[in-house]
Amino acid sequence: MEESREEITIDGVPLHRRLAVRAPDLAAGLVARLIEEVPVYASLPPEELRRDITQIAEHGIRMFLGVLRSGREPTAAQLAEMRHSAARRAEEGIPLESVIDAYFIGTEQCFEAMMAAARPGDLGAVLATHRLVMRHLRQVSAAATAGYAEEMRASLSEENGARQALLTALLDGAVAAQAAERAGLRLAPSYLVLSMSIGEHPDERASGVDSTVAARRKLRRLRAELDHEARGDALATLTPRDGLALLPCETPSQGSVLEDGDRLAGLVGRLSRRCGAELLAGAVAAKPEEIARAVPLAAEIRIVAEAGGRSPGVYRLEDVLLEYQLTRPGPALDRLAGMLRPLEGHPTVLRTLRTFLGCGLDRRGTAELLRVHPRTVDYRLRKAASLTGLDPTRGCDVALVHAALAAHTVDRAETEG
């Protein structure tokens, strides 16, 4: 229902002009109040507060300015932004009551700013504004609640369940055609299988930030980028520390999927940049019926690359052939793993050794990563040599140190598992 277009004025000045002048400061002030008054907002990553939360605050103020100027209710497109924002908060695990509280605080702040210059003769304008504000708040709250509820339903939707059923069928080696049909997906001729170690986003380590929210935000971005790369057909299971993704490929030749190493590296680089965390991935290509065997292989490639001190990125079997073969079970593996057991009581030495190999034997690069002096790196490497008899700075020992480190890591993983 359309209201009168007669301007509401306070002390002779149109109300929408008063609000427009204050709008930029109001958005920043609202975010500051949320941090102070709503505990969950105080624990959000700073990036989210600067971008998502500030942007939706600015959008809400601009939307109400339009209501003041025209007397008309917000458009469906304007309210859709509120729905989408609330849906993102639901995905991040922020309670609905906190989301709605934020809208009430924002409304209160805007109303106080508009009424600051009110005089006794403005009582009629104050009451008219109050009615307008309350109706607007009801509409915004309804849109936000709907968006939040839709996201919660979507997380448990039949489509997501069907996608997981398809992933399970492929992992179990079962006939996946029926599961694909239920999921509304077409089985691709082949899949790129990525077994990923997912590093921490800086926000997960930031003081005062809710690490759970930061981790969920990281995974939401990673999942969105996987879907983008796969045109919506990615199958994935992700945790804050690791994950598995199957990306469909249209070529029936599984080998060609991995032939372009630069393209593969570019893919994983984009995934890493999008989620804001380092990724180290093992990659295998497989036809649908081969995925059950390909997934453990991709995981082994990843583990071997990590064990060998490889830097973040993507690795194929041919990239880690030596380490892979040297970490196969047998007496040689036991002997290799034993070479570094003297370092188990010296974790900083072991970490320095791993970092030194990962940096391509660059002692200064190692020192920068570990945040120590290069002389400290030299001391620790000499310590490693004295304890194990293997000198990582001596060319003839480098390959053996690589192999021993990989074997030691695999051995420790099996022991702890």
Side-chain angles (χ1 to χ4, degrees):
M1 180 177 177
E2 187 173 313
E3 296 228 339
S4 169
R5 290 176 179 271
E6 183 177 350
E7 289 184 330
I8 300 177
T9 62
I10 293 292
D11 196 26
V13 179
L15 202 56
H16 66 84
R17 292 183 184 173
R18 288 188 178 278
L19 186 59
V21 171
R22 297 285 310 280
D25 292 335
L26 284 173
L30 171 58
V31 173
R33 281 192 62 181
L34 292 180
I35 294 172
E36 181 179 352
E37 299 179 25
V38 186
V40 70
Y41 280 86
S43 65
L44 290 180
E47 178 203 29
E48 183 172 8
L49 292 168
R50 287 194 304 269
R51 297 183 61 182
D52 290 12
I53 305 303
T54 300
Q55 287 173 4
I56 197 63
E58 292 171 347
H59 172 78
I61 294 171
R62 288 195 302 271
M63 183 170 61
F64 188 65
L65 276 170
V67 172
L68 288 174
R69 282 193 297 264
S70 67
R72 297 189 181 95
E73 296 180 355
T75 66
Q78 289 173 324
L79 290 174
E81 285 295 318
M82 297 302 190
R83 293 170 68 103
H84 295 158
S85 175
R88 290 195 292 272
R89 305 293 81 78
E91 189 176 16
E92 294 165 357
I94 296 176
L96 177 59
E97 59 267 28
S98 297
V99 175
I100 298 303
D101 199 11
Y103 288 112
F104 273 79
I105 291 174
T107 300
E108 175 189 332
Q109 182 164 304
C110 287
F111 187 80
E112 289 175 351
M114 290 185 294
M115 297 299 108
R119 301 289 183 269
D122 295 320
L123 178 60
V126 171
L127 293 176
T129 304
H130 185 265
R131 287 193 298 270
L132 196 62
V133 165
M134 294 306 296
R135 189 178 72 182
H136 183 72
L137 180 59
R138 184 184 68 207
Q139 293 168 326
V140 170
S141 299
T145 303
Y148 193 100
E150 286 171 1
E151 176 57 31
M152 296 301 292
R153 286 194 297 268
S155 66
L156 302 174
S157 70
E158 182 178 349
E159 178 183 353
N160 285 342
R163 279 178 174 268
Q164 289 305 307
L166 173 57
L167 178 59
T168 299
L170 290 168
L171 295 178
D172 289 345
V175 177
Q178 291 182 346
E181 185 176 350
R182 287 194 297 271
L185 300 173
R186 177 181 62 87
L187 282 179
S190 62
Y191 286 84
L192 173 64
V193 180
L194 292 176
S195 175
M196 298 176 287
S197 286
I198 305 171
E200 287 186 322
H201 188 283
D203 287 335
E204 293 180 76
R205 301 187 297 270
S207 175
V209 171
D210 188 324
S211 60
T212 300
V213 173
R216 287 175 177 169
R217 186 174 173 81
K218 172 184 69 178
L219 294 185
R220 172 166 60 85
R221 290 174 171 177
L222 178 56
R223 192 179 296 276
E225 188 63 21
L226 285 167
D227 275 335
H228 174 73
E229 293 287 345
R231 298 182 181 179
D233 289 341
L235 300 173
T237 175
L238 305 172
T239 76
R241 297 294 167 257
D242 53 43
L244 170 69
L246 306 183
L247 304 183
C249 303
E250 292 306 315
T251 171
S253 172
Q254 60 186 48
S256 63
V257 177
L258 299 180
E259 286 173 359
D260 191 341
D262 290 340
R263 184 177 180 183
L264 192 59
L267 164 66
V268 174
R270 289 192 296 276
L271 294 174
S272 177
R273 288 191 295 274
R274 184 70 177 90
C275 72
E278 292 184 337
L279 301 179
L280 190 150
V284 175
K287 297 175 182 177
E289 64 272 18
E290 298 169 340
I291 286 176
R293 296 190 302 275
V295 168
L297 177 57
E300 288 182 345
I301 293 170
R302 171 180 57 82
I303 291 169
V304 167
E306 289 179 313
R310 300 297 185 99
S311 57
V314 60
Y315 297 91
R316 302 161 295 181
L317 180 57
E318 51 266 41
D319 297 322
V320 293
L321 277 177
L322 178 61
E323 296 99 321
Y324 183 86
Q325 189 59 40
L326 289 172
T327 53
R328 296 310 87 198
L333 176 63
D334 296 338
R335 188 68 62 85
L336 279 169
M339 288 181 169
L340 295 187
R341 287 202 180 103
L343 300 184
E344 290 180 357
H346 305 273
T348 57
V349 175
L350 188 59
R351 183 186 176 201
T352 301
L353 180 61
R354 189 187 305 278
T355 306
F356 181 64
L357 294 179
C359 287
L361 312 185
D362 180 355
R363 55 189 288 276
R364 292 192 177 277
T366 301
E368 289 178 5
L369 282 176
L370 297 178
R371 297 182 180 179
V372 298
H373 195 277
R375 284 198 294 271
T376 302
V377 172
D378 293 336
Y379 168 77
R380 292 176 182 176
L381 294 178
R382 288 196 300 271
K383 183 78 170 178
S386 69
L387 290 171
T388 65
L390 297 174
D391 186 350
T393 65
R394 189 168 58 197
C396 59
D397 281 358
V398 171
L400 191 55
V401 173
H402 266 290
L405 187 58
H408 177 266
T409 305
V410 170
D411 179 68
R412 294 295 296 171
E414 291 177 350
T415 302
E416 293 170 2

